[in-house]
Amino acid sequence: QVQLVESGGGLVQEGGSLRLSCAASGRTIRSYAMGWFRQAPGKEREFVAAIKWSGSLTASADSVKGRFTISRDNAKNTVYLQMNSLKPEDTAVYYCAAKDSVTVPTPAAAYDYWGPGTQVTVSS
């Protein structure tokens, strides 16, 4: 079992930055693909970014390309999401997810473990 806990969310003005962290416990995530997803009120959960177990490959949604960067530190069992140039439409609950896989899955259904989420609110 892998337990995930997100942190770093909050209220920020449009154009600002936040760095989300996802700390894993229970077992090492060294062999896990890790993903970030978000869900706004009344909307489906959507893919944001994902990273291969080695950190050598990443994927991101078109809506965040050039603004968000996913990274990981396997020694700390932690994954990060650096979010720059934030927009009001980025407002959502952000979730971290883990999948024991050598690929970089983008569908939410592919992931086995989820954190409780952290709220990000961007004001205009």
Side-chain angles (χ1 to χ4, degrees), residues 8-20 38-41 63-64 67-68 81-94 118-124:
L11 174 64
V12 63
Q13 287 193 328
E14 185 174 6
S17 298
L18 283 174
R19 188 195 197 201
L20 304 184
R38 66 187 181 186
Q39 188 166 18
S63 59
V64 306
R67 300 188 299 123
F68 292 11
L81 185 68
Q82 177 66 45
M83 305 187 295
N84 299 328
S85 301
L86 282 160
K87 305 174 181 180
E89 51 263 44
D90 294 318
T91 295
V93 177
Y94 283 70
T118 185
Q119 176 71 46
V120 171
T121 303
V122 184
S123 63
S124 57

Side-chain angles (χ1 to χ4, degrees), residues 13-61:
Q13 287 193 328
E14 185 174 6
S17 298
L18 283 174
R19 188 195 197 201
L20 304 184
S21 298
C22 172
S25 61
R27 64 173 61 176
T28 177
I29 58 168
R30 203 177 299 269
S31 64
Y32 284 70
M34 301 296 295
W36 284 98
F37 293 78
R38 66 187 181 186
Q39 188 166 18
K43 294 190 176 182
E44 297 283 317
R45 189 169 298 191
E46 65 172 358
F47 169 74
V48 175
I51 188 167
K52 190 174 179 177
W53 66 271
S54 61
S56 61
L57 183 66
T58 63
S60 58

Side-chain angles (χ1 to χ4, degrees), residues 76-110:
K76 295 183 178 179
N77 239 24
T78 302
V79 178
Y80 306 97
L81 185 68
Q82 177 66 45
M83 305 187 295
N84 299 328
S85 301
L86 282 160
K87 305 174 181 180
E89 51 263 44
D90 294 318
T91 295
V93 177
Y94 283 70
Y95 298 91
C96 174
K99 167 73 175 176
D100 190 356
S101 171
V102 298
T103 63
V104 184
T106 58

